[in-house]
Every structure is written in structure tokens, then in C-alpha cells.
């Protein structure tokens, strides 16, 4: 959500993003964010066009936590008992240098957590809060916690999901979860009563790359890290049991009458060719215009065989539903529409290709604030956004830092190699009182009136 899209130049200049040339030195810039977010874990990374994948792979990424004073009253694990875990996969040369091999294969072969390969975390026999970020270039992780067989009779250690990308949600007990690149999961794991010396393994399973993938095509990773109960209890665990947590409620976002909808088609002319949204290159000007303060429904149509983690800048949203489609027929007719000049009257009508009814969101994403979601193969996924509200007020002490409309942001696939390969488009937030530009529907736009974006 808080990524910054802008070229780096050696001479500080005034531009869309807040910076003050009089206050910076050569090769410096001032960047400011309001952080007017719900209490959540955010992350940031390099967004260099065409080289995001290798720059993030090299290490240009990090995370930070946005707090709410009200969090103190929730009874959650704090301090050393709240642990951020950044999950990545990497390959190394024999001398320890990073090796980028994803031009030859899908995924890398070594799990890396917080910059360390196959690490362990020494824990006390008590509740921990794990803040998990999938910062991998391409890899989805399906994770569970495997206990020693002589310690816990059931095959997996249960845990509780209490939050996602955009903050808290109702507690949900789980045994495993699938997390796509850029998604965040906020978990409570309870090691209470576990004998000293017991070891629990964070295990990845049934998640080949690209997900859902074909097992054996890319390096498979099973063991990710260990939790070792080797620290004596430092004091009574006075945190609230997850089942009793009273977290901020997430009200469902309800579509309003005549809410605006947009279609985003994951388009690839043939296997291994460039991917785009709606068969439009990223560098084409913004063609999708959104009124500030409005909510919208976006429909992501994925007719190909990979799942894509889709990330929308600036806004939080909720997953509405998914619906299976006849992908081969839709792809064929979409190709004919493009080849025929993209006439609005000939555009394939998505409803004609449904092969089943809408499917509710996955339990771990239902009634959750998200900024990234999984667009599954041969499926249309619908999201409904919060009101689109760029930060208009200036940040204290930083002149000219308020957003001016129109303001352009982006959405993109968070498989970074796909993003670099053009699966990204801009959209523009406009003044609701100003007339909208000419509707681009049927041309290059997003479907029912289009949109583009950079930012957040």
C-alpha cells in the first residue's frame, strides 16, 4: 500500500511526490506518507520499471507497523513476543552470493526468513503474535506448523488468524493457509504447555511455483524455519486467549445501486509472451478515471493457468466473490475482439462464459481488509473498494505535500517478473465535481469505463 513509484534522479526536483529541493542534498529526496491507515503491517520495495524483480530480489524491500493506541487494550502479545517474519525464496552461489535463476526456472530453492536461510526462533512456552509477509518474487506459500509427534497428537499445531493486509479481522482458527506474494497474515500461535526443547517446523506444502503450478517444474521448498521452545517462561502470559479477543469489527462493503464496475482481463497472446491488462501496455496513458470518494467493483478475469496476486495501490478493498469461467472460449473470443479492432459492440460479455455460480471468499479473506488478493486460474474475482480517497491534506512541516487531483496510481500483478513484463496499468482519481474524460469503454479501457494508477 505504501510503495512509491518514481524514478530516482541525482538532482532533487519538485514533482508529484512531496519533496523540498531547498532542504535536500544532491542524490537525496524527501518522501512523506500520512500513514492514515488502520492498525496494520505495511511494506515497501523498489518499483523501478522493468527491474523491480531483480532489485527486490537484491534486498530493496522492508516492512513497518502502523499502530493504534487502542491496540494496547486488546491483550495481544507485544515486544519480543510480537515477531515480524518476512518470507522469501533465494538461490545462492557456493560462496554465498545471491544467484538470480528465475530466467531459467520458476522460483528459487532456499527459504529465507528475515534475511536468514533456514532460521530458528527460540520461544517461551506462551502465546506469540507472528506478523507474516510474503515478500517472494513469485512463490506462494501454503504453510502449516508441524509439531513433534510425541508432543501434540494432532498433525498440525492450530493457530488463529487475527488480521490481513489492511488490519484486524474476526479471529479465525486455522491449521494452514495459502499466502501469495505481497499478502500479510497476522497470527496468534500458542506454545503454552509445550515441553522445553520441543521443536515446531513451519512447513510449506502443495504450493508449486507458479501456483497452482505443476510439481517438479520449479524448486520445491518444504521446511521453512523452526520454533524451538528453549527459553524459560519469563513471567505469566497475561495476553487474551484468541477465542476471547474483541477486535475491531469489519463491516461488509455493500455495493450501492449503480455502482461502477471495471473489468481487468489478464491477457497473454501466447504462452511465454508479454502479459498485460486488457491487452494494453503499461506505458499507455491512463484511460480509467475514478471519482474521488466513490466505491467501485473491479472484476479481474483470469483465463490462464497461473494464479496472480493482484495488488491495488491507494485503497483497501474486500473480496466479494469468485466465479468460474469457460477460459478457453473466453480467451478465443477476446482474441477475435482485439483482432477485429476492439469495437464496443463486439466485446465479449463476461456473463456468457460463466460455468457456475459465484463462490464466496475464502474464509481467511472474508470480511477482511485487503490490498492484495489471489486471482485464481480460469476465474473472475470481484473486489469492492473502500471509497477512493487520496491524502489531500498537506503533511505538517512539508510544504506542497498534499495530493492534487487528478492523481494517478497503479495496480499490478505482484509476481514481480509479471509486473516487470507489463502486467500493470495506471488509473486516475479525479475531482467528483469535474466532468469525466470521454469514456474509453470498448477501446483500451477497463471494461465498463476504465482506470489506471501509481502510488500507495
Amino acid at each position: 500500500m505504501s510503495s512509491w513509484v518514481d524514478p530516482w534522479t541525482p538532482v532533487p526536483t519538485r514533482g508529484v511526490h512531496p519533496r523540498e529541493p531547498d532542504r535536500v542534498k544532491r542524490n537525496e529526496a524527501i518522501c512523506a506518507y500520512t500513514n492514515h491507515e488502520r492498525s496494520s503491517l505495511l511494506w515497501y520495495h523498489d518499483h523501478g520499471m522493468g527491474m523491480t524483480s531483480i532489485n527486490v530480489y537484491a534486498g530493496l524491500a522492508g516492512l513497518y507497523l502502523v499502530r493504534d493506541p487502542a491496540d494496547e487494550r486488546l491483550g495481544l502479545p507485544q515486544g519480543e513476543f510480537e515477531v515480524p517474519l518476512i518470507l522469501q525464496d533465494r538461490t545462492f552461489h557456493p560462496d554465498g552470493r545471491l544467484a538470480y535463476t528465475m530466467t531459467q526456472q520458476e522460483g528459487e530453492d532456499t527459504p529465507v526468513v528475515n534475511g536468514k536461510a533456514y532460521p530458528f526462533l527460540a520461544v517461551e512456552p506462551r502465546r506469540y503474535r507472528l506478523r507474516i509477509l510474503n515478500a517472494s518474487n513469485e512463490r506462494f506459500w501454503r504453510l502449516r506448523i508441524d509439531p513433534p509427534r510425541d508432543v501434540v497428537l494432532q498433525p498440525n499445531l492450530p493457530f488463529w488468524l487475527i488480521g490481513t493486509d489492511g488490519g484486524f479481522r474476526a479471529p479465525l482458527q486455522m491449521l494452514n493457509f495459502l499466502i501469495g506474494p505481497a499478502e500479510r497474515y497476522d497470527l496468534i500461535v500458542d506454545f503454552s504447555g509445550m515441553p522445553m526443547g520441543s521443536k515446531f517446523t513451519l512447513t510449506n506444502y502443495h504450493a508449486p511455483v507458479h501456483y497452482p503450478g505443476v510439481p517438479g517444474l520449479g524448486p520445491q521448498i518444504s521446511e521453512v524455519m523452526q520454533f524451538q521452545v528453549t527459553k524459560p517462561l519469563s513471567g505469566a502470559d497475561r495476553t487474551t486467549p484468541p477465542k476471547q479477543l474483541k477486535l475491531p469489527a469489519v463491516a461488509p462493503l455493500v455495493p450501492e445501486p449503480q455502482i461502477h464496475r471495471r473489468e481487468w482481463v489478464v491477457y497473454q497472446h501466447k504462452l511465454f509472451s508479454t502479459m498485460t491488462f486488457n491487452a494494453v501496455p503499461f506505458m499507455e496513458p491512463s484511460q480509467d478515471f475514478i471519482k474521488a470518494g466513490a466505491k467501485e467493483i473491479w472484476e479481474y478475469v483470469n483465463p490462464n493457468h497461473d494464479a496472480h496476486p493482484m495488488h491495488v495501490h491507494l485503497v483497501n478493498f474486500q473480496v466479494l466473490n469468485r466465479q468460474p469461467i469457460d477460459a478457453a472460449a473466453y480467451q478465443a473470443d477476446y482474441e477475435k475482439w482485439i483482432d477485429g479492432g476492439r469495437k464496443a459492440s463486439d466485446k465479449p460479455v463476461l456473463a456468457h462464459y460463466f460455468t457456475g455460480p459465484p463462490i464466496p471468499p475464502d474464509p481467511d479473506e472474508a470480511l477482511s481488509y485487503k490490498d492484495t488478493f489471489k486471482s485464481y486460474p480460469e476465474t473472475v474475482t470481484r473486489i469492492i473498494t473502500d471509497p477512493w480517497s487520496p491524502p489531500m491534506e498537506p503533511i505538517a512541516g512539508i510544504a506542497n505535500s498534499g495530493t492534487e487531483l487528478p492523481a494517478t496510481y497503479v495496480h499490478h500483478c505482484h509476481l514481480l517478473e509479471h509486473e516487470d513484463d507489463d502486467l500493470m496499468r495506471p488509473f486516475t482519481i479525479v475531482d467528483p465535481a469535474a466532468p469525466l474524460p470521454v469514456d474509453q469503454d470498448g477501446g483500451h479501457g477497463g471494461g465498463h469505463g476504465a482506470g489506471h494508477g501509481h502510488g500507495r
Side-chain angles (χ1 to χ4, degrees), residues 21-283:
D22 295 339
R23 290 175 52 186
V24 298
K25 301 175 183 178
R26 184 177 177 82
N27 242 6
E28 290 184 348
I30 294 176
C31 307
Y33 298 95
T34 62
N35 287 317
H36 291 165
E37 309 276 348
R38 301 176 182 94
S39 178
S40 57
L41 185 153
L42 302 179
W43 73 302
Y44 52 91
H45 60 80
D46 177 84
H47 231 297
M49 186 59 198
M51 56 192 302
T52 300
S53 56
I54 56 174
N55 285 349
V56 173
Y57 189 85
L60 293 180
L63 61 75
Y64 67 100
L65 299 171
V66 175
R67 304 286 194 188
D68 186 321
D71 295 354
E72 296 291 328
R73 301 191 292 270
L74 297 175
L76 297 172
Q78 302 180 51
E80 65 180 298
F81 309 116
E82 179 184 17
V83 183
L85 298 175
I86 304 176
L87 274 56
Q88 298 171 309
D89 55 328
R90 298 288 184 263
T91 293
F92 297 93
H93 291 292
D95 63 2
R97 292 179 298 115
L98 275 177
Y100 180 84
T101 67
M102 281 188 281
T103 54
Q104 293 87 41
Q105 65 186 15
E106 297 179 348
E108 303 290 1
D109 59 17
T110 303
V112 174
V113 183
N114 295 355
K116 294 185 178 181
Y118 296 104
F120 71 89
L121 177 68
V123 299
E124 299 181 15
R126 62 185 301 146
R127 284 185 284 270
Y128 278 75
R129 184 180 182 187
L130 305 180
R131 312 293 297 269
I132 296 179
L133 159 67
N134 181 355
S136 296
N137 281 37
E138 297 185 344
R139 185 179 293 273
F140 286 68
W141 304 83
R142 187 183 297 279
L143 299 172
R144 68 185 185 216
I145 300 176
D146 291 342
R149 290 291 176 260
D150 58 345
V151 172
V152 179
L153 294 180
Q154 59 196 60
N156 311 123
L157 180 69
F159 50 84
W160 291 79
L161 175 69
I162 64 169
T164 54
D165 315 336
F168 291 118
R169 53 151 292 148
L172 174 67
Q173 191 172 36
M174 305 180 73
L175 292 175
N176 62 78
F177 63 93
L178 178 70
I179 182 170
E183 289 189 298
R184 283 89 72 201
Y185 278 58
D186 192 350
L187 308 178
I188 300 293
V189 179
D190 194 351
F191 298 106
S192 299
M194 301 303 169
M196 295 299 289
S198 54
K199 298 177 181 179
F200 297 78
T201 303
L202 184 64
T203 300
N204 178 51
Y205 71 105
H206 295 169
V209 286
H210 295 129
Y211 182 83
V214 178
L217 288 186
Q220 302 302 297
I221 293 174
S222 177
E223 296 182 354
V224 179
M225 65 171 292
Q226 275 192 346
F227 301 97
Q228 301 180 358
V229 186
T230 56
K231 299 175 71 174
L233 197 62
S234 57
D237 187 350
R238 304 190 185 282
T239 60
T240 304
K243 198 171 186 177
Q244 301 173 20
L245 280 172
K246 292 181 171 57
L247 302 177
V250 177
L253 293 172
V254 179
E256 300 159 347
Q258 307 303 316
I259 189 170
H260 198 77
R261 294 172 178 258
R262 301 178 193 275
E263 286 179 10
W264 298 102
V265 179
V266 179
Y267 175 76
Q268 187 177 33
H269 177 62
K270 59 182 179 180
L271 194 61
F272 305 123
S273 66
T274 295
M275 286 186 178
T276 59
F277 283 121
N278 301 335
V280 181
F282 167 68
M283 295 304 292

